[in-house]
C-alpha cells in the first residue's frame, strides 16, 4: 500500500511557499476550523467576497493548508486531475475507524479502481429499476403512518425511512426479529458526531462513555453484518435476490471485511444525506403552494422527470455536503496557482450552486431548472462530486427521492407551521433544517377517489 502523502501544514510550509499560495484568512487555525465546522455556509461566502474565487484556509490537524476553489472551470480542473495525483481517500482518513480501511471513500489508486468496478453492477440502471418497487412500498408504508392534521418533524420521519431502505434494500435484511435488533443499534452508529470521532485520534477515550457505548454498538452491528454475509455466501438463491449485498456477492470477489466496509459506507453516506435532502424539499413545498400543486400533479401522472427535478433542486438549493476534498500527491497547477505536494484542494459545492451567475433567482426553489432544453451548465450542479470519485450511489439517491416524493404527494397536502423558512444548522457533515422541517400533513381531497 502506498504510504500517505504528508499534509502541507505548519511544519512543512516555508515562507516562500506561503507567499505563493492564494490569499486567505489570517485568523488562528483553531478559529478557522470552528468557523468551517459550524458556519461554513456563511464563512465561505465571506471569504470569497474578501479574497476572490480561490482562497486559502488553515484547519486542524497540523494547521493544514486548504485551497478552496469555487469557479466551475477550476472545479473541473480538480476533478479531471489524475486520481493518482489528487487523492480523495487521504482526505477522509478521520472516517476510517467507523467505515473501515477498505471503504470506497478511503482508498485511492488501484484499490479504488478495483472496488469501484466491483460495486458498479449493484448501482447500474438495471439494478436501480429492480430496487424501485421495494423502495416505493417502504415509502407508502411510512407516509401512511404520518400524523394527520398535527405538526410533526418530517426530518425525523425521513431519517427513519431512509434507514429502513438501507436495512432492507441495501443490507437485504427482512427478518422482523433481526430488523428489530438492528434498528436501534444502527441508529447509534449513524448518529456518530465529531466528539465520538475524536476517538480515532485519542484511543484512550474508547475506554469511557460515550465512546465505549458507541464502540459496543458498532461491534454489535458488525456481528450481524458478518453473519448476514456468511448466510448470503451459502444461499443458493443469492443470484436471484434483489438487494445490494446479494448483487455485490454475485458480481465481485470480496473478503468479508471489504464487504462489511462497503455496507457501512453505504449506510453512513446514504442515510443522513438523502433524508436531509428530502426534508429540505418538503420544507420548500410546504411554503410554496404552486410548487406543491405541480409536484402533486407530477406524482399523480407518473412524471418521474419532474419528481427527480424536485430532488435535484433541493440538492442545489440546500447542498447537504457543502464541499469535497483532494490531497495532492505532487505539485500541481490548479486555478492558476502552482500548489505544492500535500496541499488539500477543496471544491466548494455550496458556493458554485449558490451563485446567481449560474442559477438566476438563486434562492428560489425552481425544479424547472432541470427540465427542458436549457439545463444547468456542466460543473455548476455537483452535489455528488465529480470525476472518477463521483458518488457511486447518486442514481440510487435520486431514485429514492423520486419514490418517496411520489408516495407522499399522491396522498397529502403539506403546509408549514410557520411561514418563515427554517435556518440551516450543522448536523455532523450535513446542514439540516433547524426545526426538523416541522409541517402539517392533511389528506388530499381526491385521495383514494
Amino acid at each position: 500500500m502506498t504510504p500517505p502523502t504528508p499534509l502541507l501544514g505548519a511544519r512543512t510550509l516555508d515562507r516562500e511557499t506561503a507567499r505563493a499560495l492564494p490569499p486567505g484568512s489570517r485568523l488562528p487555525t483553531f478559529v478557522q476550523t470552528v468557523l468551517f465546522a459550524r458556519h461554513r455556509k456563511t464563512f465561505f461566502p465571506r471569504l470569497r467576497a474578501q479574497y476572490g474565487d480561490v482562497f486559502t484556509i488553515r484547519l486542524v490537524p497540523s494547521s493544514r493548508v486548504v485551497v478552496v476553489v469555487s469557479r466551475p472551470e477550476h472545479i473541473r480542473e480538480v476533478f479531471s486531475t489524475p486520481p493518482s495525483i489528487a487523492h480523495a481517500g487521504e482526505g477522509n482518513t478521520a472516517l476510517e475507524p467507523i467505515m473501515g480501511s477498505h471503504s470506497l471513500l478511503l482508498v485511492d489508486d488501484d484499490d479504488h479502481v478495483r472496488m469501484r468496478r466491483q460495486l458498479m453492477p449493484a448501482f447500474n440502471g438495471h439494478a436501480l429499476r429492480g430496487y424501485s418497487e421495494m423502495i416505493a412500498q417502504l415509502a407508502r408504508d411510512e407516509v401512511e403512518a404520518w400524523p394527520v392534521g398535527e405538526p410533526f418533524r418530517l426530518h425525523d420521519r425521513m431519517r427513519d425511512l431512509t434507514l429502513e431502505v438501507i436495512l432492507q434494500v441495501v443490507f437485504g435484511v427482512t427478518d422482523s426479529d433481526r430488523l428489530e435488533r438492528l434498528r436501534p443499534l444502527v441508529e447509534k452508529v449513524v448518529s456518530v458526531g465529531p466528539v465520538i470521532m475524536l476517538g480515532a485520534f485519542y484511543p484512550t477515550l474508547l475506554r469511557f462513555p460515550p465512546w465505549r457505548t458507541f464502540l459496543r454498538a458498532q461491534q454489535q452491528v458488525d456481528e450481524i453484518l458478518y453473519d448476514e454475509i456468511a448466510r448470503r455466501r451459502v444461499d443458493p438463491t443469492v443470484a436471484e435476490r434483489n438487494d445490494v449485498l446479494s448483487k455485490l456477492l454475485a458480481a465481485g470477489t470480496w473478503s468479508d471485511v471489504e464487504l462489511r466496509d462497503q455496507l457501512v459506507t453505504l449506510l453512513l453516506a446514504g442515510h443522513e444525506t438523502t433524508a436531509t435532502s428530502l426534508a429540505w424539499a418538503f420544507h420548500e413545498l410546504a411554503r410554496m403552494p404552486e410548487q406543491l400543486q405541480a409536484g402533486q400533479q407530477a406524482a399523480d401522472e407518473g412524471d418521474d422527470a419532474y419528481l427527480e427535478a424536485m430532488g435535484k433542486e433541493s440538492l442545489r438549493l440546500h447542498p447537504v455536503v457543502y464541499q469535497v476534498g483532494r490531497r495532492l500527491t505532487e505539485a500541481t497547477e490548479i486555478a492558476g496557482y502552482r500548489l505544492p505536494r500535500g496541499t488539500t484542494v477543496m471544491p466548494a459545492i455550496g458556493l458554485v450552486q449558490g451563485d446567481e451567475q449560474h442559477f438566476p433567482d438563486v434562492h428560489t426553489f425552481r425544479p424547472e431548472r432541470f427540465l427542458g432544453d436549457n439545463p444547468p451548465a456542466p460543473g455548476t450542479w455537483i452535489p455528488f462530486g465529480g470525476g472518477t470519485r463521483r458518488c457511486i450511489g447518486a442514481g440510487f439517491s435520486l431514485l429514492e427521492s423520486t419514490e418517496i416524493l411520489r408516495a407522499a404527494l399522491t396522498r397529502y397536502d403539506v403546509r408549514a407551521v410557520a411561514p418563515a423558512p427554517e435556518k440551516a444548522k450543522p448536523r455532523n457533515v450535513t446542514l439540516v433544517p433547524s426545526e426538523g422541517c416541522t409541517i402539517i400533513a392533511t389528506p388530499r381531497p381526491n385521495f383514494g377517489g
Side-chain angles (χ1 to χ4, degrees):
M1 182 177 290
T2 305
T5 307
L7 283 170
L8 182 66
R11 296 179 181 177
T12 53
L13 182 62
D14 57 71
R15 290 184 179 180
E16 183 178 349
T17 303
R19 283 196 295 268
L21 291 170
S25 174
R26 296 182 179 275
L27 291 170
T29 295
F30 179 75
V31 175
Q32 292 190 52
T33 302
V34 171
L35 290 172
F36 169 74
R38 303 293 299 176
H39 305 287
R40 71 198 72 171
K41 193 174 181 181
T42 54
F43 183 45
F44 273 22
R46 287 203 304 268
L47 292 174
R48 183 175 62 174
Q50 184 172 357
Y51 299 108
D53 296 319
V54 186
F55 54 87
T56 301
I57 60 176
R58 287 175 172 78
L59 303 175
V60 298
S62 303
S63 192
R64 63 183 170 120
V65 173
V66 179
V67 173
V68 180
V69 295
S70 62
R71 294 182 63 86
E73 59 267 33
H74 296 156
I75 292 174
R76 282 196 295 271
E77 288 181 20
V78 178
F79 289 158
S80 62
T81 298
S84 60
I85 296 174
H87 273 187
E90 288 188 348
N92 295 322
T93 51
L95 299 173
E96 182 174 338
I98 304 163
M99 292 186 174
S101 60
H102 301 286
S103 164
L104 188 68
L105 293 181
L106 292 167
V107 293
D108 288 301
D109 301 329
D110 292 344
D111 286 338
H112 178 263
V113 172
R114 175 178 64 86
M115 290 193 180
R116 190 176 180 95
R117 185 184 297 121
Q118 292 190 165
L119 281 161
M120 283 302 297
F123 294 97
N124 62 25
H126 176 73
L128 293 177
R129 287 189 291 274
Y131 306 141
S132 59
E133 181 50 39
M134 298 168 64
I135 296 172
Q137 186 59 57
L138 290 171
R140 289 191 292 266
D141 292 344
E142 163 59 29
V143 302
E144 186 177 351
W146 282 5
V148 173
E150 60 185 65
F152 69 100
R153 293 169 60 91
L154 183 128
H155 187 230
D156 295 341
R157 305 300 295 249
M158 289 296 98
R159 294 182 76 247
D160 289 344
L161 175 53
T162 57
L163 179 59
E164 204 66 23
V165 170
I166 295 287
L167 294 179
Q168 297 196 40
V169 182
V170 177
F171 294 180
V173 177
T174 54
D175 177 76
S176 58
D177 291 338
R178 180 158 286 206
L179 283 170
E180 284 298 317
R181 184 182 171 204
L182 256 179
R183 287 185 188 109
L185 293 171
V186 171
E187 179 61 33
K188 291 178 182 177
V189 172
V190 298
S191 297
V192 61
V195 173
I196 295 296
M197 291 173 67
L198 284 173
F201 302 104
Y202 306 102
T204 303
L205 294 174
L206 298 177
R207 298 203 300 264
F208 307 99
W211 296 274
R212 186 176 60 199
T213 304
F214 171 81
L215 187 61
R216 179 56 185 153
Q218 184 183 39
Q219 291 168 342
Q220 290 176 298
V221 169
D222 284 353
E223 289 171 6
I224 296 174
L225 288 182
Y226 282 125
D227 185 62
E228 281 292 326
I229 292 168
R231 292 185 185 195
R232 216 68 58 84
R233 285 194 187 279
V234 298
D235 185 346
T237 67
V238 69
E240 286 76 49
R241 288 180 60 107
N242 203 25
D243 57 80
V244 172
L245 172 56
S246 295
K247 290 185 181 297
L248 292 180
L249 279 167
T253 303
W254 303 89
S255 70
D256 286 0
V257 176
E258 287 175 338
L259 272 174
R260 176 269 176 203
D261 290 357
Q262 306 317 317
L263 292 175
V264 173
T265 298
L266 292 170
L267 166 66
L268 292 173
H271 167 250
E272 184 76 38
T273 52
T274 303
T276 299
S277 173
L278 282 161
W280 281 120
F282 282 104
H283 171 275
E284 297 295 333
L285 294 175
R287 290 167 173 79
M288 303 181 70
E290 291 184 4
Q291 290 290 2
L292 174 62
Q293 186 175 7
Q296 289 172 330
Q297 181 177 343
D300 293 344
E301 297 175 356
D303 186 351
D304 285 11
Y306 192 88
L307 294 174
E308 182 176 291
M310 293 172 74
K312 289 180 174 179
E313 177 66 347
S314 179
L315 286 165
R316 181 204 67 81
L317 183 58
H318 302 284
V320 179
V321 176
Y322 200 81
Q323 78 294 317
V324 293
R326 305 285 190 270
R327 190 184 304 178
L328 300 181
T329 63
E330 60 183 64
T332 308
E333 185 165 325
I334 291 175
Y337 292 89
R338 185 71 176 173
L339 301 179
R341 179 175 186 251
T343 303
T344 299
V345 184
M346 188 173 282
I349 295 169
L351 287 181
V352 70
Q353 293 184 177
D355 193 329
E356 185 82 28
Q357 179 181 348
H358 311 307
F359 297 97
D361 200 12
V362 70
H363 299 299
T364 301
F365 183 79
R366 284 177 43 203
E368 294 78 13
R369 301 179 199 274
F370 295 91
L371 302 170
D373 299 327
N374 190 28
T380 59
W381 184 79
I382 48 173
F384 298 107
T388 60
R389 303 297 297 226
R390 187 176 187 269
C391 175
I392 200 168
F396 189 96
S397 175
L398 290 172
L399 168 67
E400 194 174 358
S401 295
T402 297
E403 294 299 343
I404 292 171
L405 285 166
R406 187 198 326 278
L409 295 178
T410 52
R411 189 179 188 99
Y412 294 115
D413 290 317
V414 295
R415 70 178 190 274
V417 174
E422 296 181 25
K423 294 180 180 180
K425 70 174 184 179
R427 177 186 170 92
N428 301 337
V429 299
T430 63
L431 296 168
V432 305
S434 56
E435 303 301 321
C437 183
T438 301
I439 64 168
I440 296 174
T442 54
R444 291 176 59 188
N446 61 340
F447 178 75

